[in-house]
């Protein structure tokens, strides 16, 4: 007589599911990077429109004088404040998405996620370190190596994984992290 084992296999927690995913390859990272460049371009266009609007309003109100410039764009092109503003927008784009959701728009499309080794979202500080050491994406070249960890991942003490279809389609979270799942 054969006994059947009635014990259920324990389901993996969401953090354990994230931990079990493989690391992202160079080409998946490159695809996500290209998607993100388009998304970031749109965000920068919107930021520039807002800056142009602010300059026009400031000129009409008499706060600045544009008479020595060809036009408003010439004023912005020579402005250090505008350059800093766009830099903050770029930094904010990546650090917000990486630290809050673990994914940028491009990473979501390619089912990639940046996370700590225990499956949690990276911190804002880790996101800043990761961004500052990425060398505009060139740090990803290291992901061609066997363990697939990019330069910025080593410095940020994080990893980029490829999520399974089940994880990427999972709609059960209320916030941006797996921490919100119901405790049973």
């Amino acid at each position: 007589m054969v006994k059947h084992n009635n014990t259920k296999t324990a389901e993996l927690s969401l953090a354990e599911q994230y931990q079990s995913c493989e690391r992202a390859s160079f080409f998946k990272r490159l695809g996500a990077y290209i998607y993100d460049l388009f998304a970031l371009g749109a965000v920068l266009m919107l930021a520039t429109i807002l800056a142009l609007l602010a300059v026009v309003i400031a000129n009409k109100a008499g706060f600045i004088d544009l008479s020595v410039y060809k036009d408003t764009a010439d004023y912005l092109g020579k402005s250090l404040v505008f350059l800093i503003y766009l830099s903050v927008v770029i930094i904010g784009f990546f650090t917000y998405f990486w630290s809050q959701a673990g994914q940028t728009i491009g990473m979501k499309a390619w089912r990639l996620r940046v996370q700590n080794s225990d499956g949690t979202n990276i911190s804002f500080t880790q996101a800043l370190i990761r961004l500052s050491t990425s060398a505009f994406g060139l740090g990803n070249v290291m992901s061609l190596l066997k363990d697939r960890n990019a330069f910025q991942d080593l410095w940020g003490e994080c990893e980029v994984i490829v999520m399974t279809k089940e994880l990427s389609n999972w709609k059960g979270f209320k916030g941006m992290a797996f921490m919100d799942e119901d405790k049973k």
Side-chain angles (χ1 to χ4, degrees):
M1 180 167 156
V2 177
K3 289 187 176 182
H4 294 285
N5 190 355
N6 290 334
T7 60
K8 294 181 181 179
T9 58
E11 284 189 31
L12 295 175
S13 72
L14 192 54
E16 292 169 331
Q17 290 178 42
Y18 282 140
Q19 287 174 306
S20 67
C21 293
E22 69 178 61
R23 288 196 177 145
S25 69
F26 172 77
F27 296 104
K28 283 197 178 250
R29 290 170 183 258
L30 181 63
Y33 183 71
I34 291 169
Y35 273 52
D36 284 336
L37 287 178
F38 286 112
L40 186 58
V43 170
L44 290 175
M45 280 187 245
L46 179 63
T48 302
I49 290 169
L50 293 175
L52 286 168
L53 182 63
V55 169
V56 168
I57 291 171
N59 184 43
K60 295 287 184 192
F63 296 124
I64 58 174
D65 181 23
L66 295 179
S67 63
V68 295
Y69 300 98
K70 289 186 234 176
D71 56 13
T72 309
D74 184 40
Y75 173 79
L76 284 178
K78 295 176 180 172
S79 172
L80 180 61
V81 173
F82 181 64
L83 180 63
I84 292 170
Y85 166 68
L86 290 182
S87 298
V88 168
V89 169
I90 293 168
I91 292 167
F93 176 85
F94 286 107
T95 56
Y96 175 79
F97 281 110
W98 288 340
S99 63
Q100 295 301 310
Q103 298 175 296
T104 59
I105 296 166
M107 293 173 81
K108 183 100 173 139
W110 285 84
R111 293 189 343 224
L112 301 181
R113 182 176 194 276
V114 62
Q115 66 180 19
N116 290 312
S117 60
D118 64 356
T120 59
N121 286 340
I122 65 173
S123 68
F124 179 76
T125 305
Q126 283 177 293
L128 281 176
I129 292 169
R130 190 170 192 280
L131 185 62
S132 64
T133 58
S134 69
F136 302 105
L138 291 176
N140 287 320
V141 172
M142 280 185 62
S143 63
L144 288 168
L145 301 175
K146 186 177 179 185
D147 77 350
R148 294 187 175 164
N149 230 354
F151 185 76
Q152 63 267 22
D153 300 333
L154 295 173
W155 279 93
E157 297 178 351
C158 56
E159 62 187 4
V160 177
I161 56 137
V162 179
M163 297 188 308
T164 61
K165 287 184 182 179
E166 294 79 25
L167 279 175
S168 66
N169 291 332
W170 185 62
K171 306 280 191 256
F173 59 86
K174 297 172 190 159
M176 292 295 190
F178 68 85
M179 300 296 184
D180 294 334
E181 72 181 354
D182 295 330
K183 306 291 183 210
K184 292 180 182 180

